[in-house]
Amino acid sequence: MTVEKFIRRNKIIAERVTQLRQHGDQMHWDGIVHPVNPQFRDVLQAQERLLNALERLLEDLPMLATA
């Protein structure tokens, strides 16, 4: 996947998350997200994995540049 495709897909993901936000009243009570839908839980877990992987990559970038 090219960086450009990755960026386009990130924009699509952001659009879909915005669509989910329109249904926020169905996923929140007491100001907390309650992921009762298994598909929504999958999305949250995938997002967490992506953020963790990006953080690891960014931490390793200075080492990659000097290698």
Side-chain angles (χ1 to χ4, degrees):
M1 177 183 306
T2 65
V3 172
E4 291 79 14
K5 184 173 182 179
F6 181 81
I7 291 170
R8 280 194 309 274
R9 292 174 67 92
N10 257 353
K11 289 178 183 178
I12 293 169
I13 290 168
E15 290 169 4
R16 299 302 183 257
V17 170
T18 299
Q19 290 173 343
L20 275 176
R21 188 176 181 191
Q22 295 171 354
H23 301 283
D25 57 332
Q26 298 168 11
M27 291 185 280
H28 289 80
W29 57 90
D30 299 330
I32 300 172
V33 174
H34 295 275
V36 294
N37 182 317
Q39 294 165 326
F40 185 63
R41 279 196 308 266
D42 289 345
V43 169
L44 293 176
Q45 292 169 353
Q47 182 187 48
E48 185 69 24
R49 287 191 309 272
L50 176 61
L51 287 172
N52 289 338
L54 284 168
E55 287 173 358
R56 286 191 307 271
L57 177 63
L58 288 171
E59 289 171 359
D60 290 343
L61 278 178
M63 292 173 47
L64 292 174
T66 59

